[in-house]
């Protein structure tokens, strides 16, 4: 009895699979490998650069992408954006690690393969909150829990030890022999390979490419001028200083007649502040409108209403909200730097500069040497403004010179005034309608 002839279908399937595997290996060998540096502080502008670089590599048919990681960490939201983009790309990805601390560890774990260079380390990803003149402190437990879940999800997606990934950012996860409770896990190159957090150790980039099966023909992608400018302008220190200088110069402009150099410079500094957020993809029209709405409300409080009330509170709230929507988790640092810089600027301007000749030419000074107090004038008294009221200034009532505050807007020098309210030393006046 003749034996049945085996079906050729299984052989064809195996042949197709072998051909596909061969094509994949050939593409790795013949195509170009794109190198993307992840260096310095991780920030939103770097996330924009990584997205642009991966998009270009995908469009130009790269055989693979290598991320050269040497970073102390940075913003968590930026690291998550980079991690998600790496997980989404169809291209093979390799992390070549020199140092991958904090947010850098999440980026390294997101790649399909990971190579450790000599002397390299990975881990110490506990999120911290840092303020000027203060020691960094661990972030809120809710933030740690959320980020722990992200590390877990990335480790699961790439087949890496989940518990070790969690221990890198949660000091409550204790790994016997590696990290004590209360310390986030940090692994050396040898330990990372031994525990299968990393795939292998390589002595150089070219060796890492050979071990991973990547093409040795490489092209290094560098951040363009737009990304470099955005990274500089959106750093917490620079953004805080730009915000403080812009507000300080606009405030000084209120004490000078017309609109001149200080107002122009103030607007220029604020333009740079918003340009950084826009270039980094952090802010748009909403944050811009919110900010200048806050400034407008503060001006209305200063010129239209004496004292500090609802308009002033809403103005401060609008400005703070604009900064928060722009900088997210770094907003507190930016605001703290801006407040300190603005306070020091006001101290210098009103304590030291008025004594100099240039400052006397810019800041309105009263030549009046003797002033009466609010107790020496009554409601209904008629006088004349001796200086512009912006809204504060000096007026004369008979032979008395008194510091006054206009209740509505700007009043020029020479305006006939009437006292409408006396609150201790504060004399509130209005223009007398003839």
């Amino acid at each position: 009895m003749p034996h049945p002839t085996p079906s050729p279908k299984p052989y064809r399937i195996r042949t197709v699979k072998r051909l596909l595997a061969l094509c994949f290996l050939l593409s790795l060998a013949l195509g170009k490998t794109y190198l993307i540096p992840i260096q310095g502080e991780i920030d939103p502008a770097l996330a924009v650069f990584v997205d642009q670089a991966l998009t270009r590599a995908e469009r130009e048919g790269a055989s693979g992408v290598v991320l050269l990681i040497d970073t102390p960490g940075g913003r968590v939201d930026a690291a998550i954006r980079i991690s998600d983009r790496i997980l989404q790309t169809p291209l093979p990805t390799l992390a070549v690690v020199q140092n991958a601390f904090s947010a850098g560890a999440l980026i390294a774990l997101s790649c399909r393969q990971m190579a450790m260079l000599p002397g390299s380390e990975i881990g110490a990803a506990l999120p911290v909150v840092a303020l000027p003149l203060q020691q960094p402190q661990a972030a809120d437990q809710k933030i740690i829990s959320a980020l722990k879940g992200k590390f877990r999800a990335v480790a699961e997606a790439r087949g890496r030890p989940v518990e070790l990934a969690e221990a890198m950012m949660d000091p409550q996860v204790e790994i016997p022999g590696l990290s004590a409770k209360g310390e986030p896990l940090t692994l050396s190159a040898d330990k990372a390979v031994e525990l299968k957090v990393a795939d292998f150790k390589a002595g150089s980039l070219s060796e890492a490419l050979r071990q991973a099966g990547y093409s040795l023909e490489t092209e290094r992608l560098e951040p363009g001028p737009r990304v470099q400018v955005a990274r500089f302008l959106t750093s917490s220190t620079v953004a805080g200083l730009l915000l403080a200088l812009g507000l300080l110069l606009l405030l000084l402009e209120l004490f000078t007649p017309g609109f001149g150099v200080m107002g122009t410079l103030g607007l220029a500094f604020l333009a740079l502040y918003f340009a950084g957020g826009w270039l980094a993809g952090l802010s748009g029209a909403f944050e811009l409108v919110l900010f200048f709405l806050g400034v407008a409300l503060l001006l209305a409080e200063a010129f239209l209403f004496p004292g500090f009330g609802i308009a002033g509170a809403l103005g401060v709230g609008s400005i703070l909200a604009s900064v928060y929507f722009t900088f997210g988790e770094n907003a507190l640092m930016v605001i703290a730097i801006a407040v300190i810089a603005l306070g020091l600027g006001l101290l210098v301007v009103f304590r030291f500069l008025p004594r100099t000749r240039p400052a006397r030419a810019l800041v309105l000074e009263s030549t009046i040497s003797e002033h009466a107090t609010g107790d020496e004038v009554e409601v209904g008294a008629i006088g004349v403004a001796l200086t512009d009221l912006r809204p504060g200034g000096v007026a004369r009532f008979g032979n008395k010179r008194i510091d006054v505050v206009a209740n509505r807007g700007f009043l020029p020098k020479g305006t006939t005034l009437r006292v409408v309210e006396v609150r201790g030393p504060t004399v509130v006046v209005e223009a007398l309608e003839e």
Side-chain angles (χ1 to χ4, degrees):
M1 184 175 180
H3 295 284
T5 303
S7 171
K9 189 173 182 180
Y11 299 103
R12 292 176 182 172
I13 293 175
R14 284 196 294 270
T15 302
V16 170
K17 288 182 178 180
R18 289 171 181 170
L19 287 174
L20 290 174
L22 180 61
C23 290
F24 176 73
L25 292 175
L26 285 174
S27 68
L28 289 179
L30 299 177
K32 188 184 296 185
T33 299
Y34 283 70
L35 307 179
I36 302 177
I38 306 292
Q39 297 175 340
E41 183 181 354
I42 296 171
D43 52 33
L46 181 63
V48 172
F49 163 63
V50 172
D51 177 56
Q52 294 173 345
L54 286 173
T55 300
R56 176 181 169 184
E58 293 163 359
R59 184 178 62 249
E60 297 181 0
S63 63
V65 174
V66 175
L67 285 88
L68 308 174
I69 302 177
D70 187 5
T71 174
R75 288 182 53 166
V76 172
D77 56 349
I80 291 176
R81 286 174 59 188
I82 295 173
S83 170
D84 290 343
R85 186 63 179 87
I86 295 171
L87 292 171
Q88 292 166 4
T89 184
L91 297 175
T93 52
L94 168 66
V96 177
V97 176
Q98 183 60 59
N99 290 294
F101 297 116
S102 190
L106 180 63
I107 296 173
L109 291 170
S110 302
C111 295
R112 295 187 184 181
Q113 292 178 279
M114 187 192 307
M116 304 293 291
L117 295 176
S120 60
E121 292 183 298
I122 182 173
L126 174 66
V128 298
V129 176
L131 290 175
L133 309 178
Q134 292 186 10
Q135 290 293 330
Q137 298 179 351
D140 184 83
Q141 190 59 40
K142 291 182 180 179
I143 297 177
I144 294 177
S145 178
L147 192 56
K148 180 180 177 181
K150 185 63 179 179
F151 268 74
R152 182 192 308 114
V154 169
E156 291 174 349
R158 293 309 192 198
R160 307 189 193 280
V162 172
E163 188 178 13
L164 295 179
E166 292 178 343
M168 289 183 181
M169 59 78 47
D170 188 352
Q172 300 304 313
V173 178
E174 182 179 0
I175 307 296
L178 293 176
S179 66
K181 191 171 184 179
E183 296 180 357
L185 176 65
T186 301
L187 296 175
S188 65
D190 291 331
K191 275 295 181 183
V193 174
E194 177 187 339
L195 298 173
K196 302 188 183 305
V197 171
D199 295 279
F200 56 88
K201 184 178 177 182
S204 63
L205 172 61
S206 57
E207 183 181 336
L209 293 175
R210 281 193 294 268
Q211 289 195 54
Y214 279 54
S215 170
L216 296 181
E217 182 185 356
T218 61
E219 179 176 349
R220 186 184 177 101
L221 305 180
E222 296 287 356
R226 169 173 174 166
V227 173
Q228 292 176 352
V229 169
R231 296 193 73 181
F232 173 74
L233 293 178
T234 55
S235 69
S236 300
T237 302
V238 174
L241 291 176
L242 289 174
L243 182 59
L245 286 171
L247 292 175
L248 176 63
L249 290 171
L250 286 181
L251 180 63
L252 293 179
E253 184 64 34
L254 298 178
F255 293 90
T256 61
F259 190 86
V261 175
M262 287 188 293
T264 302
L265 288 176
L267 291 177
F269 281 121
L270 291 180
L272 287 173
Y273 165 80
F274 281 105
W278 178 74
L279 291 173
L282 294 174
S283 62
F286 174 73
E287 289 78 11
L288 183 66
V289 169
L290 199 60
F291 180 86
F292 282 103
L293 174 63
V295 173
L297 287 170
L298 288 177
L299 292 177
E301 183 71 31
F303 287 111
L304 301 180
F305 314 105
F308 190 86
I310 296 176
L314 290 176
V316 172
S318 294
I319 292 175
L320 294 179
S322 174
V323 177
Y324 174 76
F325 287 132
T326 299
F327 289 96
E329 64 188 51
N330 268 29
L332 195 59
M333 173 68 81
V334 174
I335 292 171
I337 292 174
V339 168
I340 292 173
L342 184 59
L344 291 175
L346 289 173
L347 178 65
V348 170
V349 168
F350 292 109
R351 184 176 179 86
F352 301 107
L353 290 186
R355 303 175 185 176
T356 66
R357 181 175 297 176
R360 286 197 297 269
L362 291 174
V363 181
L364 289 178
E365 276 191 4
S366 171
T367 58
I368 302 169
S369 58
E370 295 181 1
H371 289 71
T373 66
D375 296 333
E376 300 181 41
V377 67
E378 297 179 351
V379 174
I382 305 299
V384 63
L386 296 179
T387 66
D388 291 336
L389 305 187
R390 296 175 174 267
V394 180
R396 181 174 60 216
F397 295 87
N399 60 354
K400 300 173 182 177
R401 296 171 174 84
I402 298 176
D403 292 320
V404 297
V405 177
N407 66 345
R408 291 184 181 178
F410 167 82
L411 295 178
K413 177 182 177 180
T415 301
T416 303
L417 306 172
R418 176 170 54 204
V419 177
V420 294
E421 187 179 358
V422 177
R423 299 195 300 264
T426 303
V427 178
V428 182
V429 297
E430 66 178 6
L432 180 63
E433 297 181 1
E434 298 179 358

